[in-house]
Amino acid sequence: MLPRRALAAALVSLALLAAAPRPAEAHALVLESSPRADEVLPSSPGRILLRFNSRLEKGLSMVTLTGPTGRPIPLPVAAADPSPNHLVVPVPPLEPGRYVVRWKVLSADGHVTERAFRFTVAPAH
Ligand SMILES: [Cu+2]
């Protein structure tokens, strides 16, 4: 038989474990992107590809692109991609300059995550 105090301590420990936040891998995060963060490209990328660590609710996920002037660049709807972990967005021809990609996605577990990264299209020589 456990002393009553030890039993109470064990119950408190269990309660704390149950209340602990879920591991970070439960949320959708980018494992790989093309362009990569801070990449300098010799020319316009043609498309943006994001590979996540989990399935996405694609209808409730979005990617936006901001150009060197700070204006948003209109993007078509994400191309159909068979992988539930990928977002692929065709990009119109981009002039040289620095661009910001922002993504906001709903993962299959119901969590929303968002991040941003930059890439640069180098000036033509
Ligand atoms: Cu999550």
Side-chain angles (χ1 to χ4, degrees), residues 22-28 54 107-113:
R22 292 184 167 205
E25 63 266 21
H27 309 279
S54 75
S107 58
D109 72 353
H111 291 127
V112 174
T113 44

Side-chain angles (χ1 to χ4, degrees), residues 54-77:
S54 75
R55 304 169 64 90
L56 307 173
E57 296 292 344
K58 293 195 183 186
L60 295 169
S61 300
M62 57 188 262
V63 178
T64 61
L65 182 63
T66 307
T69 63
R71 287 211 194 122
I73 293 165
L75 295 175
V77 175

Side-chain angles (χ1 to χ4, degrees), residues 28-33 50-54 85 103:
L29 292 171
V30 167
L31 296 178
E32 181 185 11
S33 70
L50 304 172
R51 182 168 71 86
F52 290 84
N53 63 339
S54 75
N85 293 28
W103 55 262

Side-chain angles (χ1 to χ4, degrees), residues 78-104:
D81 185 287
S83 166
N85 293 28
H86 288 187
L87 284 181
V88 181
V89 183
V91 169
L94 302 178
E95 306 203 332
R98 181 187 260 187
Y99 293 81
V100 178
V101 178
R102 290 189 178 82
W103 55 262
K104 182 174 183 178

